[in-house]
Amino acid sequence: MERYTATSNASGVATYTWPACAATPDVDVILGWAGTQMISGGVTAQTLTGATVAVMRSRGTLALSSGPFEAAPNTALTIRVICN
């Protein structure tokens, strides 16, 4: 089991790489905080050697918004990778 941290790009997407696993690894996003905003994400693609994650943060104001989360550009997010 290893942890990897990456910073999302301007679109809120983070890219991770690791040494090749023998089988499809388990990739878990580790939730975090930036001030009073929750930082989360979801794996959008993965291979034996890497993954891309859509990084999201909670919105400061919900009034007239499209939901409780928004893309989080330039935000660090940590994942846990378990090679099987």
Side-chain angles (χ1 to χ4, degrees):
M1 176 174 47
E2 299 287 334
R3 288 182 179 210
Y4 298 93
T5 300
T7 299
S8 60
N9 62 20
S11 299
V13 176
T15 303
Y16 301 85
T17 59
W18 53 79
C21 298
T24 303
D26 293 326
V27 179
D28 299 311
V29 173
I30 298 174
L31 302 178
W33 293 93
T36 59
Q37 289 183 297
M38 184 174 81
I39 306 299
S40 182
V43 176
T44 58
Q46 84 179 66
T47 66
L48 298 178
T49 60
T52 56
V53 174
V55 182
M56 305 294 281
R57 65 181 172 217
S58 58
R59 290 184 189 270
T61 304
L62 292 177
L64 301 174
S65 68
S66 60
F69 291 93
E70 63 187 0
N74 308 312
T75 302
L77 183 71
T78 301
I79 62 170
R80 178 180 340 162
V81 178
I82 303 171
C83 285
N84 297 315

